C-alpha cells in the first residue's frame, strides 16, 4: 500500500506542478460545461423571426398576422412586405420563416373555396426547422378553431352548440420526459459526457508518455513494484479527479443550466464509476503504447467527436446505417450517454438499466486487464516521428 500511495503522490505532484495539466484536470471540464451551458441556457427556442407577406390586406388576413404577432414563439419582422423581400430575408438569415397570404383570401373563404396559405421555414438548421414547423402549425390550428367558432356563431349557433360541435372529437396530447421540448435536456448532458471523456482520457493518456519523454519511465520498470501497483498509483489521481468532475458538472447542469436530472442517484453513480474506470484503463493502455504526447493528443482529439456523433444520442440509432450501429455498440461512450439519458430523463429503474450496466462493466474489465498486467519491459523507440521534450534532437538532413 505504501508503494501505491507513493506513486499516487508522485503523480499528484506532477499534476500540481504543471499548470496546463492542472487546468486540464480540474478547471477545463467546468469551463467547457459553463460555455456549453451559456449556449443552451435558454432551453426553448422562442422569438423566431418571421415575415407575414399579406397580399390580400383584408380583415381576416390581418387577423392571421395578429395571431403570429401574439404568439411568444415568433417575432414578426414588419418591414418585409413582398415575396422577393421574403426570399432575400431567408437567404441572409434575417428571417427563419415566412407566411404568404394570397390575394382574394377572405373572399374565397367566404365562398368556401379551397384556399392555400404558403408557409416557408429555414430547414438548413434542423433545430430551427423542427421548432418553426411545430410553432406554425400551433398558430394555424388555434386560428382555425377560432375562425370555425366565429363562423358557427354567425350562423346562429349558441355557445353550447358550438362547443358541442367542436368537441365531438377531442385530442388530448401529452409529451413525456421532456414536455417543454427543451434542447438543454436533449443535448447538454451528452456534451457533459463528451467533456468528461475527452479531458479524462487525454489526461490519463499522458501519464506514461510524459515519463518516456523525460526518460524516467525506466525507473518504474526497474523498481521492485508490481505492474498493477504502478497502474493504480498513477491512475488514482485521474480517476478521482474525473469522478469529481462528473459530480461537479452534473450539479452545475442541474443548478445553473436547469437540466432535468432525475431517477435513481445510485444508478447515476454506478454509471459514472464504470465509465470512469473504462476511461482510466483505456487511457493508461494508450499511454503505454504511444510513442509520445503528441501522438496521444492527435489520436484522442481525432476520435472523440466521431464517437459522440455515432452514439445515437443526437440522431436515432434506428436511422443510422447498420455497420455504424454495430461499431457504436462497441464504444463505452454510446452506452454511457444513452444509459444516462434513460436514468436522468426517463427515470428508469434497474430492470431497464441492466443492459447498460453490464455493457459498461464488461468494457471496464476489458480496459483494466491490459492496464494492470502490462509487461515491465522497455519498448524500443520507433524509427522516425517527432521527438517531444527529449532534448535538442533534430531530424536528420535529407540525403
Amino acid at each position: 500500500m505504501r508503494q501505491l500511495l507513493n506513486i499516487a503522490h508522485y503523480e499528484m505532484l506532477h499534476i500540481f506542478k504543471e499548470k496546463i495539466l492542472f487546468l486540464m484536470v480540474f478547471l477545463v471540464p467546468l469551463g467547457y460545461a459553463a460555455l456549453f451551458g451559456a449556449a443552451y441556457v435558454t432551453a426553448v427556442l422562442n422569438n423566431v423571426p418571421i415575415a407575414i407577406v399579406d397580399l390580400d390586406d383584408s380583415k381576416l388576413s390581418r387577423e392571421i398576422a395578429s395571431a403570429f404577432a401574439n404568439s411568444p414563439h415568433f417575432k414578426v419582422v414588419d418591414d418585409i412586405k413582398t415575396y422577393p423581400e421574403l426570399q432575400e430575408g431567408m437567404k441572409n438569415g434575417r428571417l427563419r420563416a415566412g407566411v404568404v397570404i394570397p390575394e382574394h383570401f377572405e373572399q374565397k373563404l367566404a365562398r368556401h373555396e379551397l384556399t392555400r396559405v404558403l408557409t416557408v421555414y429555414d430547414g438548413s438548421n434542423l433545430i430551427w426547422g423542427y421548432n418553426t414547423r411545430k410553432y406554425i402549425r400551433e398558430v394555424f390550428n388555434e386560428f382555425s378553431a377560432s375562425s370555425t367558432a366565429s363562423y358557427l356563431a354567425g350562423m346562429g349557433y349558441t355557445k353550447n352548440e358550438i362547443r358541442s360541435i367542436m368537441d365531438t372529437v377531442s385530442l388530448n396530447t401529452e409529451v413525456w420526459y421532456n414536455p417543454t421540448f427543451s434542447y438543454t435536456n436533449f443535448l447538454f448532458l451528452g456534451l457533459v459526457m463528451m467533456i468528461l471523456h475527452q479531458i479524462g482520457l487525454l489526461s490519463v493518456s499522458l501519464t506514461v508518455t510524459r515519463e518516456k519523454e523525460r526518460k524516467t519511465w525506466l525507473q518504474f520498470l526497474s523498481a521492485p513494484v508490481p505492474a498493477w501497483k504502478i497502474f493504480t498509483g498513477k491512475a488514482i489521481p485521474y480517476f478521482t479527479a474525473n469522478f469529481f468532475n462528473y459530480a461537479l458538472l452534473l450539479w452545475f447542469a442541474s443548478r445553473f443550466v436547469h437540466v432535468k436530472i432525475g431517477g435513481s442517484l445510485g444508478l447515476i453513480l454506478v454509471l459514472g464509476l464504470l465509465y470512469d474506470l473504462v476511461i482510466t484503463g483505456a487511457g493508461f493502455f494508450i499511454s503505454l503504447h504511444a510513442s509520445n504526447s503528441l501522438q496521444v493528443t492527435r489520436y484522442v482529439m481525432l476520435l472523440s467527436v466521431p464517437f459522440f456523433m455515432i452514439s445515437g444520442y443526437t440522431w436515432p440509432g434506428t436511422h443510422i446505417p447498420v455497420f455504424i450501429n454495430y461499431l457504436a455498440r462497441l464504444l463505452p461512450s454510446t452506452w454511457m450517454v444513452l444509459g444516462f439519458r434513460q436514468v436522468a430523463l426517463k427515470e428508469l429503474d434497474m430492470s431497464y438499466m441492466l443492459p447498460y450496466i453490464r455493457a459498461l462493466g464488461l468494457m471496464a474489465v476489458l480496459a483494466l486487464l491490459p492496464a494492470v498486467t502490462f509487461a515491465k519491459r522497455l519498448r524500443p523507440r520507433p524509427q522516425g516521428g517527432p521527438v517531444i521534450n527529449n532534448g535538442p534532437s533534430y531530424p536528420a538532413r535529407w540525403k
Side-chain angles (χ1 to χ4, degrees):
M1 179 59 71
R2 184 179 179 82
Q3 292 174 330
L4 190 152
L5 293 177
N6 285 337
I7 296 173
H9 179 257
Y10 166 84
E11 196 65 29
M12 285 297 297
L13 291 177
H14 275 291
I15 294 175
F16 284 97
K17 182 180 178 181
E18 298 180 19
K19 294 180 180 179
I20 299 299
L21 183 59
F22 176 81
L23 291 174
M24 186 170 66
V25 172
F26 290 104
L27 298 181
V28 169
L30 182 59
Y32 278 3
L35 179 64
F36 293 150
Y40 290 98
V41 71
T42 53
V44 179
L45 197 65
N46 284 328
N47 296 316
V48 177
I50 189 172
I52 310 296
V53 178
D54 187 357
L55 302 179
D56 189 46
D57 195 24
S58 61
K59 178 183 177 182
L60 191 59
S61 65
R62 288 191 291 271
E63 288 178 358
I64 293 178
S66 297
F68 280 94
N70 294 329
S71 170
H73 301 310
F74 291 103
K75 180 181 180 181
V76 176
V77 180
D78 294 323
D79 59 341
I80 304 294
K81 302 297 184 182
T82 65
Y83 188 76
E85 290 176 347
L86 170 63
Q87 288 181 309
E88 181 60 27
M90 293 289 285
K91 289 178 181 178
N92 61 32
R94 189 183 175 198
L95 299 174
R96 292 292 179 174
V99 177
V100 181
I101 304 174
E103 296 178 343
H104 313 300
F105 173 72
E106 188 174 44
Q107 295 178 12
K108 289 183 178 181
L109 281 183
R111 295 194 298 265
H112 306 296
E113 296 180 10
L114 178 63
T115 306
R116 297 185 184 277
V117 174
L118 174 64
T119 61
V120 297
Y121 60 89
D122 186 350
S124 61
N125 185 307
L126 292 180
I127 296 177
W128 280 108
Y130 168 76
N131 284 277
T132 303
R133 180 179 63 178
K134 177 170 69 74
Y135 295 157
I136 288 175
R137 287 179 175 177
E138 288 177 359
V139 172
F140 268 106
N141 288 340
E142 184 176 347
F143 176 80
S144 177
S146 176
S147 298
T148 302
S150 299
Y151 175 75
L152 293 175
M155 294 180 64
Y157 287 89
T158 65
K159 289 184 178 180
N160 290 334
E161 289 173 331
I162 293 173
R163 187 180 298 110
S164 177
I165 292 172
M166 298 189 67
D167 291 346
T168 302
V169 177
S170 177
L171 177 63
N172 185 24
T173 303
E174 294 182 0
V175 180
W176 292 2
Y177 311 127
N178 189 14
T180 62
F181 292 98
S182 168
Y183 268 86
T184 304
N185 288 339
F186 166 68
L187 192 58
F188 188 73
L189 291 178
L191 294 176
V192 166
M193 298 307 156
M194 189 173 74
I195 293 170
L196 295 170
H197 174 272
Q198 185 83 351
I199 301 301
L201 187 64
L202 183 59
S203 300
V204 183
S205 298
L206 297 176
T207 55
V208 177
T209 55
R210 181 190 66 233
E211 307 293 347
K212 293 177 183 177
E213 291 164 359
R214 297 180 177 180
K215 297 183 178 180
T216 55
W217 182 232
L218 183 61
Q219 299 176 19
F220 288 91
L221 298 180
S222 57
V225 181
W228 71 267
K229 282 190 178 181
I230 296 176
F231 161 73
T232 306
K234 294 186 76 64
I236 280 178
Y238 301 98
F239 175 84
T240 305
N242 211 35
F243 192 75
F244 168 78
N245 285 325
Y246 176 73
L248 175 64
L249 297 193
L250 293 187
W251 171 81
F252 175 83
S254 176
R255 179 67 177 82
F256 295 102
V257 192
H258 309 297
V259 178
K260 176 187 175 183
I261 302 180
S264 167
L265 177 61
L267 286 176
I268 290 176
L269 293 178
V270 168
L271 288 173
L273 284 170
L274 291 175
Y275 192 50
D276 198 0
L277 286 173
V278 176
I279 290 174
T280 305
F284 191 82
F285 180 79
I286 292 172
S287 194
L288 284 171
H289 294 82
S291 301
N292 51 57
S293 302
L294 179 60
Q295 188 181 71
V296 168
T297 305
R298 285 174 174 174
Y299 290 140
V300 172
M301 297 293 291
L302 181 67
L303 296 175
S304 294
V305 174
F307 284 177
F308 178 71
M309 298 306 296
I310 69 174
S311 67
Y313 191 86
T314 58
W315 188 252
T318 54
H319 292 69
I320 294 176
V322 174
F323 72 96
I324 297 180
N325 234 331
Y326 281 124
L327 173 62
R329 292 177 186 177
L330 299 176
L331 304 175
S333 54
T334 299
W335 295 95
M336 181 60 191
V337 296
L338 296 181
F340 192 89
R341 173 180 279 173
Q342 301 287 65
V343 176
L345 292 185
K346 292 189 174 183
E347 302 185 14
L348 300 184
D349 57 26
M350 177 63 82
S351 61
Y352 293 94
M353 295 306 301
L354 275 177
Y356 300 92
I357 292 175
R358 287 171 181 164
L360 286 174
L362 176 61
M363 291 179 182
V365 171
L366 294 176
L368 291 174
L369 275 178
V372 300
T373 59
F374 70 92
K376 293 183 61 180
R377 63 174 181 269
L378 189 63
R379 296 175 179 272
R381 180 180 295 275
Q383 297 298 319
V387 179
I388 311 297
N389 296 335
N390 201 22
S393 176
Y394 299 93
R397 181 176 297 178
W398 290 98
K399 296 181 180 180

